[in-house]
Amino acid sequence: MLVAGTLFMENLDGTIIATAAPSIARSFHVVSAQVGVCVTAYLVTVAALIPVSAWLAERWGARAVLLAAIAIFTGASVLCALSTNLVEIAVMRVLQGVGGAMMVPVGRLVVLSATDKKHIIKAIAYLTWPALLAPVIAPAVGGVLTTYASWHWIFLINVPLGALAFAVALRIMPATPRGHPGKLDRLGFVCTALSLGCLVSAAALLGEPAVPWLATLVLGGVGLGVGALGLAHMLRACLPLVRLDALRIRTFRSAQGGGSLFRIGINAVPFLLPLLFQDQFGWTPARAGAMVLFLFAGNVAIKPLTTPLLQAFRFRTVLIVTTTAAACSIAACALLRASTPVVILVVVLLVGGVFRSIGYTCYNTIAFADIDQALMRQANSLATTIQQLTQAFGVAVGVVSLKVGRQFFGLPREYSFAFVVLACLILLATMDAIRLPRHAGDSIRRAPLVDG
């Protein structure tokens, strides 16, 4: 629960600032679009530094790194609130991203390293809820704090949370000795950081109202090119920054491939729904934000059953059913209109939240089903990096789909087109799940396995 709390803080700060952008812009006498640099600076820093976190955890000990990460993140949150101009807050967001990049993978590594395989399903269920909860409640929390207090409180809310997390970590985190990870792969780090930074920046630019296509294509091209060079180097290096051995394992590869398609589609939904409710239905921001919370209600309602489901049924079966149902629930959003009864809206969102939760937990669990402890550190770093990219690209895919729909179909069918695109992405994940071996992930299921 301690690690889940730190993951929640990190995920929340990746999205909450968007709601407060107009207030921050007025305070600094800039336009709202310029505040987007604060979101990009944070996401780029987190993405660029995640791969080196595993090396730091082994070099200095996971306990020391996690405590330092919480302290940096909390201190940077205070400095963000004290910023007096856009440059200052952007720099402080970079510092906040440094702390966030360490909290995410190091915290999860501590949990995975200390958890027996028979308990890993339950452990992953706890670690999954921050990724599900934060994007859904961020608009509501950001709106309430900005409206009834000030934008500074979207950062100051981290102070009591961070102080509590630090105190608990200091008390319960086991002492971890320093290891000997070898010399840091500097070339691998530079290539990985530059590649991830460019790709996340390109994704952020795709979310702009007027996309600067030249800059976006250049950043995307550089990111892919440098990333390819980095991968080639790490395949040859004796001690690479990130070992790619885990990708040879079928369950891990599926969790990163099909799982990424699933996460991209799912992450775009909480972004598109408030826009649909406000632009097409004419709702107020408060009403739109409140309706999206039914996604979270579906997540919470099914959470007590996710572990029993994964123990009672094979992962392949759960993934096929879950991804298909999630795609259908998103496709149903394409049929929503302002005249749709509220009851139907609620049911669609609740069902979407249910399968969103099951899918996240299933993919996050099966990723480590067949990973040996010797590979856990590197597999965790690689999985966290990929998940960070899907978080950034989820919103970007939603925005691009919306713009393409507007260009070819116009109002009001642009949203219908975007939801259909997202549903098709998740159906591609279904195709990957169908190709999984029948017994995939059985090593961590405690329920008796019966053939036939």
Side-chain angles (χ1 to χ4, degrees):
M1 292 303 295
L2 164 68
V3 175
T6 61
L7 298 186
F8 173 75
M9 286 197 300
E10 192 275 334
N11 286 331
L12 186 68
D13 269 59
T15 52
I16 194 173
I17 197 173
T19 309
S23 297
I24 296 174
R26 287 193 297 269
S27 180
F28 294 155
H29 307 291
V30 297
V31 297
S32 297
Q34 290 178 276
V35 180
V37 70
C38 298
V39 179
T40 305
Y42 179 81
L43 293 176
V44 167
T45 305
V46 171
L49 294 183
I50 279 177
V52 80
S53 62
W55 185 89
L56 290 172
E58 187 168 348
R59 176 66 179 83
W60 300 103
R63 183 178 190 269
V65 173
L66 184 59
L67 287 170
I70 296 172
I72 291 171
F73 186 88
T74 307
S77 297
V78 175
L79 294 175
C80 284
L82 296 176
S83 298
T84 57
N85 57 60
L86 188 61
V87 174
E88 286 183 10
I89 196 172
V91 172
M92 294 306 106
R93 286 285 281 176
V94 170
L95 182 60
Q96 198 180 34
V98 171
M102 299 300 109
M103 286 196 303
V104 175
V106 173
R108 189 165 70 170
L109 177 62
V110 171
V111 173
L112 293 174
S113 299
T115 303
D116 292 334
K117 289 238 175 178
K118 64 181 181 179
H119 298 304
I120 202 168
I121 294 178
K122 183 177 290 187
I124 292 294
Y126 281 109
L127 292 178
T128 299
W129 70 264
L132 294 167
L133 174 60
V136 175
I137 73 166
V141 173
V144 169
L145 291 176
T146 304
T147 301
Y148 297 105
S150 70
W151 65 263
H152 305 81
W153 283 96
I154 67 173
F155 300 110
L156 293 176
I157 193 175
N158 289 326
V159 175
L161 296 175
L164 178 62
F166 188 89
V168 174
L170 196 63
R171 182 176 178 83
I172 72 171
M173 278 287 292
T176 48
R178 296 183 180 184
H180 301 283
K183 189 177 180 181
L184 177 65
D185 178 14
R186 296 181 181 177
L187 178 59
F189 172 65
V190 170
C191 287
T192 304
L194 181 59
S195 174
L196 294 175
C198 288
L199 291 175
V200 172
S201 298
L205 289 179
L206 285 173
E208 295 291 328
V211 179
W213 288 109
L214 179 60
T216 302
L217 291 173
V218 169
L219 284 170
V222 171
L224 292 173
V226 174
L229 291 176
L231 287 174
H233 162 74
M234 285 186 280
L235 287 171
R236 295 193 308 267
C238 296
L239 291 173
L241 177 69
V242 177
R243 288 177 59 185
L244 305 177
D245 303 22
L247 290 174
R248 296 193 180 101
I249 299 172
R250 182 65 179 88
T251 48
F252 183 85
R253 190 167 65 249
S254 180
Q256 308 318 314
S260 292
L261 294 171
F262 179 83
R263 293 185 190 97
I264 287 173
I266 290 297
N267 287 336
V269 173
F271 168 78
L272 288 178
L273 283 175
L275 297 180
L276 171 69
F277 295 150
Q278 293 176 71
D279 292 346
Q280 299 295 316
F281 294 9
W283 291 4
T284 63
R287 185 181 179 187
M291 182 59 70
V292 175
L293 289 178
F294 281 104
L295 276 176
F296 169 58
N299 296 337
V300 173
I302 197 63
K303 184 55 67 181
L305 298 177
T306 52
T307 298
L309 277 173
L310 294 181
Q311 291 170 340
F313 300 98
R314 298 189 188 279
F315 279 93
R316 179 176 178 271
T317 303
V318 174
L319 281 176
I320 292 172
V321 173
T322 297
T323 53
T324 303
C328 291
S329 70
I330 294 176
C333 293
L335 303 176
L336 299 178
R337 298 291 182 267
S339 58
T340 303
V342 173
V343 173
I344 294 179
L345 281 173
V346 170
V347 170
V348 169
L349 297 185
L350 283 173
V351 171
V354 164
F355 290 104
R356 187 172 180 261
S357 179
I358 298 173
Y360 254 94
T361 302
C362 194
Y363 275 119
N364 287 347
T365 305
I366 200 173
F368 302 100
D370 301 316
I371 300 292
D372 294 330
Q373 281 297 335
L375 273 179
M376 188 64 77
R377 178 173 66 89
Q378 294 291 345
N380 175 66
S381 179
L382 182 58
T384 308
T385 302
I386 293 172
Q387 287 179 26
Q388 186 66 31
L389 279 176
T390 59
Q391 179 182 343
F393 277 96
V395 174
V397 169
V399 171
V400 171
S401 299
L402 198 60
K403 290 179 178 178
V404 172
R406 183 176 303 162
Q407 180 72 29
F408 289 97
F409 300 101
L411 297 173
R413 287 173 291 181
E414 55 185 5
Y415 285 96
S416 298
F417 176 82
F419 284 121
V420 169
V421 169
L422 298 179
C424 290
L425 274 180
I426 296 180
L427 285 177
L428 290 177
T430 305
M431 300 304 296
D432 179 76
I434 292 172
R435 295 170 58 197
L436 269 174
R438 184 167 174 266
H439 297 281
D442 280 355
S443 60
I444 58 173
R445 292 173 62 238
R446 290 188 294 174
L449 303 180
V450 180
D451 290 330

